[in-house]
């Protein structure tokens, strides 16, 4: 592997938004953004390194460190699917990023 895991998996096949069910209308609603990295193997991927690389690359692409620090990053199988969870305003900032160009 020459570069970072994220850079090596630059081909993102699917970027979609999904709505989480609202649990409490008195709090800010959470949402999520999913990124699918079809060329990665979930079982052999170093999850901590991958998440750190992804967070670093989001900052390099213009997302503020403060927003990245407040987001939750979960990985799940199906190649590698990244669920980025956060408040609606934070995820609006994520969606403004060129997610298909995450390197």
């Amino acid at each position: 592997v020459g570069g970072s895991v994220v850079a090596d998996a630059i081909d993102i096949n699917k970027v979609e938004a999904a709505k989480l069910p609202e649990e409490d209308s008195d709090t800010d609603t959470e949402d999520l953004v999913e990124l699918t990295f079809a060329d990665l193997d979930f079982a052999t991927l170093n999850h901590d390194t991958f998440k750190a690389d992804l967070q670093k690359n989001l900052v390099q692409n213009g997302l503020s460190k403060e927003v990245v620090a407040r987001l939750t990053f979960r990985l799940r199988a199906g190649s590698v699917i990244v669920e980025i969870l956060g408040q609606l305003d934070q995820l609006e900032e994520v969606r403004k990023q060129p997610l298909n160009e995450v390197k």
Side-chain angles (χ1 to χ4, degrees):
V1 178
S4 70
V5 175
V6 174
D8 292 342
I10 192 169
D11 184 23
I12 300 173
N13 290 332
K14 179 175 75 173
V15 177
E16 67 181 40
K19 187 82 168 182
L20 291 177
E22 293 186 35
E23 293 180 7
D24 185 353
S25 61
D26 293 335
T27 61
D28 291 332
T29 303
E30 286 194 337
D31 199 0
L32 71 88
V33 172
E34 285 187 351
L35 305 177
T36 300
F37 294 84
D39 296 334
L40 296 179
D41 179 29
F42 183 81
T44 60
L45 181 70
N46 181 319
H47 294 196
D48 292 333
T49 299
F50 180 79
K51 287 191 277 186
D53 285 347
L54 178 60
Q55 292 168 359
K56 178 181 172 185
N57 283 286
L58 287 170
V59 170
Q60 289 174 342
N61 283 325
L63 195 59
S64 76
K65 289 181 182 180
E66 293 77 18
V67 168
V68 171
R70 296 176 69 195
L71 297 171
T72 301
F73 293 80
R74 292 191 308 213
L75 302 183
R76 63 183 170 89
S79 27
V80 172
I81 300 171
V82 180
E83 296 178 340
I84 305 173
L85 292 90
Q87 300 300 317
L88 288 175
D89 59 335
Q90 297 163 349
L91 289 178
E92 283 305 313
E93 293 299 314
V94 172
R95 289 186 183 102
K96 290 178 185 177
Q97 303 306 309
L99 297 176
N100 59 337
E101 296 177 12
V102 172
K103 297 179 182 181

